Each structure stands twice: as structure tokens, then as C-alpha cells.
Amino acid sequence: MEKQRKKWFNSRSVLMTWTLSYLAVLLLPVILSALVYMQSSKMLTDEIHLANNSLLKQLRELMDKQVEAMERLNFELNWNTKVRELVDQHKYNIYPEEYLYDLHSATKDLVLYQTAYSEADLFYVYIAKQDTVMLPGIYRDTRFAYNEHHQSSELSYEEWISLLRRDKFKGFVPMKRLLDRGGSLPALAYISTYDYEDGKPAGANVIMVDQSKILTAINNIQAFSKGQVLIADADNKVLISSSESTLSSELPFGKLPEGGGMFFWKSGGNKYEVFNIPSAVSKLQYISIIPSEIYWKKAQLVRNLTLASIAVSLLGGGLLTYFFLRKNYNPVQRLVYAFRNKPSGRENNGNEFLYIQQAVDQTLTEMDHMVLEMKKQHYTLRSNFVTRLLKGKPDNGLPLEESLAAYEMELLSEEFAVLLFYVEDHDIFLERIQGKSTGEKLKLLDFIVTNVVEELANSKHRGYMTEADDALACLISLSAKSPEEQMQDLLQVARTAQEFLAEKYSIYITVSLSSVHSGLEQAHQAYQEAMYSMEYKLVMGKQEILPYEEIERYTSRSESDSGYYYPLQSEQQLINYVKVGDFPAAKGALEEVLEMNFSKHSVSVPVARCLMLDLVGTLIKSIGELGGAQENILIQNPRRIDRLSSSETLAEMREQLVSMLQEACEFAEAKRMQNVQLNRQRALDGLIGEVSAYIDGHYTDPGLNVSLLGQLFEMKPTYLSKLFKDQTGEGLLETVNRKRIERAKQLMSGSRLTVNEAAEKSGFNDVGTFIRTFKKIEGITPGKYKEINDE
């Protein structure tokens, strides 16, 4: 019994694994049931939230329509000229006899607004300076209007007047409206006061809507959610509530999500879900408070069904698990007894399947390891032998034939050649390999190149790869063919290897070939020829195939020439193009020199480097003629010249030289534009100085204006004003008016001149224009300014 218990509770036993697997299958319906319950509860909650949110949106749509109507009516009242004149009272300081006529006419206009805006149950205009309230068709003094429409213990006359006399107020206020038949109705008032003038109230527009129109929509929401619905303003003051409950006074308005949303709130031991939606046209908030217990009552049935299904699943699944465990474990136990005496590196209380597998695989693993080690050693020894052979240091202890046989190297003929492979670019290849160090990646790269080249060479010949300095060398034993066919085969191997490695692995290589030699004692000479050919990457470019025989012919032609092509006229032409910043022309002159040297006129590698440095000297000379040495961008960065001289190919030299040429041209162009800009700024400063001097001497002339200044300075007035403002920050007309107003202030302060006389002597034709300009600049009228200074 003790043995059986250990077998069941051993964490490594397959019995425990099967038990956990069966339990996982058993728990699947349990988890699904729980997920169904959770999803169902979430769906019920989401549906209730969605329905409540929809009703809140209906309330918002209704209220927003009311608010828009109030704001339109307020806009109409603000821009009605008759109402505006009655509120401002400016006209009646001059024509007091027209006041009553205008008041009566304005009340008639309000009757038209009453017909057009039926949504408003009551609206009127308060005129503070006359202590009058203007209603559609009639007007009343404020005390009479208060008694007729608002008298109640909740809002005194003084409180009502203070609401109408606030400065720059626009918002909603709850108040009651008296009915003609007696009684009162709660209403929502939209109050918009006019700006204070001289520190005194001017008046206000009051537009009222009965709350009964709004409560109809609120009651619909309350009937659905059995909660409470509120309408609050931007200061979180409750304007309308669907219930007399005190919840609204306890609500934490600071938690309301900006832009609308919901949050949970606890109060008095009860949990509530609070929703809010902001108004689309005003700063109102529409809020609903719903008890959370409503949701859970609707989810009770789903929870009971879920618990019942989980209980049935656990009972039935437990019995089936026990039955299948006993039935399936017996064959595995017999296999464990059969392998008990076999050697294994694992304890007997482990997983039975692993125990059997390790007993079988251990011997196979050891055999594979031995074979792999033998192959690695054989390849390393052969690679070292080939390296010594190429460097002229063969193993003198054994005859050459025995060494070849020992390393399994087959010679097809006496002829052979050496191919040298230099990896130019392998960044993309290294980025693709993940999970390995840089050293491991480079070993993999060498392995790939070696296998590809040997496979290509072995199709017609025999090739043996090895590492030689910074490159990979391949000693190829050629089959018996003509020299032309042998060379064509070598070129084919090099070309195919380049294309395959670039396409499949993004490995880009340069290949050099020696000439064909006879006898392995010439291996060192063949290797030197391949190394010599590889140096001509500088002239031929990277990722090329460089046969030794073609390099020899090229070198012979180069040595017959006396130097390189770079006459003085070409240098002077290049200098001129750089100094004017003409990069396309300068690049064309540079390309012409390079073309003459490397296409029509063969140049050796050392002479090519001299030519490039000579061209760099020309660029330094060109920049030096534009400024001092401290401004020479090429001298300030000498490392660029070092990189140019150490380039591996002429293509790299050409690319760096063109880049330096472009920087030199851009520097010259910037220098030229800088000089043009300085000259233009000096001209502008002179013009602005002349205009300012003329204004200082003639601003008291009434005929001085922007048009006259444009004629005097022979420019379009608008363009001259724009130039003046860009340079001084102030337009021409503003400058003239500012100087005239300063002169007028001096005249009114230092003498007994009247406003009209001061306007005339400071350059104004019209006293009305003078008053408007003075008030715009100083903030007060000239008369007020003179009155203050006379005191």
C-alpha cells in the first residue's frame, strides 16, 4: 500500500502527469462554465449600462435643444439694436425724449421673439440704468416685475436683483415662476448679463424654461433604473433632480470622468454606479445614480445554473479519471520492469517514459559524438596542411603523396590553381542569426562559404578550403583539360559562388584567381598571385572577380604611362564652380577628370591615390579662398581625408570625394546667401529709419496717411506697411495714431485746450475719429482723461 501511494504522489511519475492531464481535461468544462457565467453577467451589466446610457443621451438631446434655443434667443436679444440702445443708454443722454418710444417699440419686437421661440416659457430684459424690466408687449419696474413673476420666500427681491447685476455672467440658475392663475412652477433660468460700463451694471437677459418639460425625460430614466438623475452646471451645482433624495448632496463630483463615463460609489452602506454625459452645446453635466444590486438580481439565475453544471462535471469526471488511469498505467509499468537492469543516468523514481527513452538513446548519442569529433579533427588537420602548403611550409616529416592520402586529398592532374575569397559585407547575414555570439556567427559564415565553394569546385574538379589570414583560400586540383577550359571553369566557380551567397545568405565576397600552375611545389607562388590580385580591389571595386592574368595586363599598360590627367585649366574650372556653390557643374567637372583617368587613361593603384589626394587639395584651396582657415570645413575634419586615403576601392574614394565636394559647394552657397541677406537687411534698416523720421516730423499733418507715405517712398502702401510692421512690430497707421494721441495727451494736460482743439492740433480731421482712436489706445475717452488730469 505504501508503494502504491508513493507511485501516485511522485511528481516525476507518468502517473502524476496523466493525472494532471485528465484533471486539465476535467477542468475544461468547469472553466468554460465559469467563463459563460462571467460573460453572461458582463453582458447583462453591459446591456443595462447601454440602455441607461441611451436614455441619458435622450435627456441630453432634449436639454441641448432647449439650451440651443435659449442661446439663440439670447443672441437675438443681444444683437437687437433697439434692445442694445435701451441697455447702453448712450443715445438717451442726447435724445432723452426718444426713450419711451424706443422702449415701447422694443417690447413689440419681444412679442415676435415670443412667437418664434415657443420653447421659452418666460423671458425678459433687465435695464439696470432705468431699473426697468422689459417683457413681450409690456415693461415694468423691477419691484413690480419681481412681485408678478418671482415673489417667493426662497428668492428675495434683493437676491433676484443681485443675480441680474453680476458682471459678465452667463449660466443657468434654478428659480420659481409665478403663474397667472396662482401658484408657481419650478423653472430653469438662463441668465446672460451685459458687460459693466464705467464700473456699473448695464442689464441682463433672462430666459426661463419650466422644469416639467425636462422632468418628463428624467422620469423615464428613473422608472428604468430605479435610481436618481441629476443635471448639474460647471460648478457641480445641481440644477434639476428627479428625486428629493439627499444623494445628490453627498455625490463626489470630483470623480466624474472628464468627457463622460461611469464609476462606482459607496454611500450609507449601499453601492451605486454613477454615469455622466457632458452636454454637447453647454457646460452642463447629465448624471444618473443607480443601485448596483439591480444588476446582481438579474444575474442570480445564471449563477445557480453555472454552479449546478460545475458540480455535475466534477463528480462524473472524477470517476472516469480514476478508471482510465488504472487501465492505461499497467502496460507502462511492465516496460519499466523490463528495462530496470539497463544502465541509465536517471533515477528510478522519474518519469517512466524518459527512463525507457534514455536507456535506448544513451548509446546512440555517444556513437554520434565520437563520429562528429573524428570529422572535426580530420577537417582541422587537413585545413592546417593546406595552409602550410600555400605559405610554402609543407610538412617535411612525410612525403607529399602520403600526406595527401592521409588527409584524403585527391589530385586529378598536376595542374592546380588558388582562389582567394574575401568577405566584404555580412551585416545582414549576422542580423538574421539570433541567439548566437558574434564569434559563433562568424564561424557559421566560414562554414557556409567553405561548403558552397567546395561543392561548386567538386562538380568538375577537386577543391580544398582553408583560412588564410583575413580571407578564405581554396586549392583546386584541376582535371585534365585545356588551359582555356580550366580558366573558364575557375571563373564559373567564382561567379556562381558570388551570386549564390549574395542571393541566399546576403554574403557579399570579392574573388581573386591565380594563374594555372603545374606541381604542388608551386602552391606558394599561386597563393601570392591571388593575394596580389586581391589588392586591385582599389581599382576594380569590391565584389568583383580579379584574375591574375588580367591584372598583369592592366599593370603593364599602367606602368607605360607617365602619370595622371589633371591639367591646370580643369583645376581652375573646378575651383570656380565650388566658389559659386554650383554643385551640379562642379560634380560634372570632377567626373570628367575621373573619367579621363580611369576609363580612357589607365592609372596604377599608387598613382590613383595621389590623384584623389590632389583633388582633395583643390577643394581645400577653394574653401580657403572664401574665408579664413578657421572656417574651412575640410581642414576642421582631417579624419575624412584619412578615411579617403585608406579606402579599399576607387568607388569608395569617388563616393567620399563627391560628398566632400557637395559640402564645399553648400558652404560656399551659404556664404553667398549670407552676404546677400546682410545687404538686404542694411537697405531695409535705412528705409525704415527714413520712414520713421518722416513720421516724427509730420504726424501733426492731418493729410499724413499710409497712401501718402507710399507715394513719398515710391512703394505700394500695403507693402510698405507690411515691411514697417515686420521690422518694428507696429503698422504705419498705428505708429502715426500713437504719436498723435501722445501729442494730444500733452496738449490736454499742459494747457486748457478742449478735446476738439487737442484733436485738431494733434493731426485729427474728425473729433469722432479722435475719440475712438483715443479710447482704443488709452482705454478711456479723451473727456475722461482730461477730467482726471484736471483734478
Side-chain angles (χ1 to χ4, degrees), residues 257-273:
E258 187 175 352
M262 67 88 64
F263 69 93
F264 294 98
W265 172 51
K266 286 187 178 180
S267 178
N270 297 321
K271 188 176 182 181
Y272 299 92
E273 298 187 15

Side-chain angles (χ1 to χ4, degrees), residues 67 70-71 74 163-164 166-175 187-194 204-208 232-235 237 239 282-284:
V67 171
M70 290 178 175
E71 290 183 343
N74 181 64
L163 287 174
L164 302 182
R166 282 187 283 185
D167 183 23
K168 296 181 181 179
F169 173 76
K170 183 182 290 185
F172 294 90
V173 177
M175 62 173 61
L188 186 63
Y190 179 74
I191 301 177
S192 175
T193 63
Y194 293 90
N205 298 332
V206 181
I207 305 168
M208 303 182 67
D233 60 12
D235 298 326
K237 180 180 178 181
L239 302 177
S282 64
K283 296 182 179 180
L284 298 180

Side-chain angles (χ1 to χ4, degrees), residues 235-461:
D235 298 326
N236 297 326
K237 180 180 178 181
V238 178
L239 302 177
I240 299 176
S241 174
S242 63
S243 172
E244 299 296 332
S245 172
T246 59
L247 280 177
S248 59
S249 61
E250 302 172 3
L251 181 65
F253 287 93
K255 291 185 177 181
L256 292 175
E258 187 175 352
M262 67 88 64
F263 69 93
F264 294 98
W265 172 51
K266 286 187 178 180
S267 178
N270 297 321
K271 188 176 182 181
Y272 299 92
E273 298 187 15
V274 182
F275 297 81
N276 79 295
I277 297 180
S279 172
V281 299
S282 64
K283 296 182 179 180
L284 298 180
Q285 290 274 353
Y286 308 109
I287 307 166
S288 66
I289 307 173
I290 307 169
S292 297
E293 62 181 10
I294 294 175
Y295 304 137
W296 295 111
K297 288 180 180 179
K298 298 181 180 181
Q300 188 69 33
L301 179 60
V302 177
R303 181 168 58 192
N304 293 337
L305 291 175
T306 302
L307 293 176
S309 64
I310 291 174
V312 172
S313 299
L314 289 175
L315 180 61
L319 295 175
L320 290 175
T321 298
Y322 178 77
F323 172 76
F324 284 113
L325 279 175
R326 289 183 60 86
K327 181 177 180 181
N328 294 333
Y329 186 70
N330 288 332
V332 176
Q333 190 175 28
R334 288 194 293 270
L335 285 174
V336 171
Y337 289 151
F339 283 99
R340 178 171 294 176
N341 296 326
K342 300 295 182 182
S344 175
R346 184 186 175 280
E347 297 180 359
N348 293 337
N349 63 347
N351 185 289
E352 290 81 357
F353 286 126
L354 290 177
Y355 180 83
I356 297 170
Q357 179 183 358
Q358 289 178 0
V360 175
D361 292 343
Q362 186 173 359
T363 303
L364 296 176
T365 302
E366 292 177 356
M367 293 177 62
D368 292 341
H369 181 70
M370 292 175 60
V371 172
L372 181 60
E373 288 297 323
M374 290 178 63
K375 287 183 177 180
K376 287 182 179 179
Q377 293 178 7
H378 177 77
Y379 177 79
T380 303
L381 293 172
R382 190 181 72 180
S383 178
N384 289 335
F385 171 73
V386 175
T387 301
R388 293 195 303 272
L389 197 64
L390 294 177
K391 294 189 176 183
K393 300 176 182 179
D395 190 357
N396 297 325
L398 291 175
L400 184 59
E401 292 77 9
E402 293 183 13
S403 297
L404 294 175
Y407 298 125
E408 299 178 358
M409 295 177 63
E410 179 184 5
L411 299 182
L412 301 181
S413 68
E414 288 294 322
E415 284 78 20
F416 71 94
V418 173
L419 271 66
L420 198 61
F421 298 87
Y422 187 85
V423 179
E424 302 289 355
D425 186 4
H426 51 61
D427 293 342
I428 298 177
F429 171 79
L430 296 181
E431 290 177 0
R432 291 179 179 176
I433 307 302
Q434 302 296 328
K436 293 182 180 295
S437 64
T438 303
E440 292 174 338
K441 293 178 181 180
L442 293 176
K443 288 182 179 179
L444 178 60
L445 184 146
D446 292 344
F447 175 78
I448 292 173
V449 175
T450 297
N451 279 272
V452 169
V453 174
E454 287 186 351
E455 183 176 352
L456 292 172
N458 291 339
S459 62
K460 296 181 180 180
H461 309 279

Side-chain angles (χ1 to χ4, degrees), residues 333 597 656:
Q333 190 175 28
N597 283 281
Q656 293 191 38

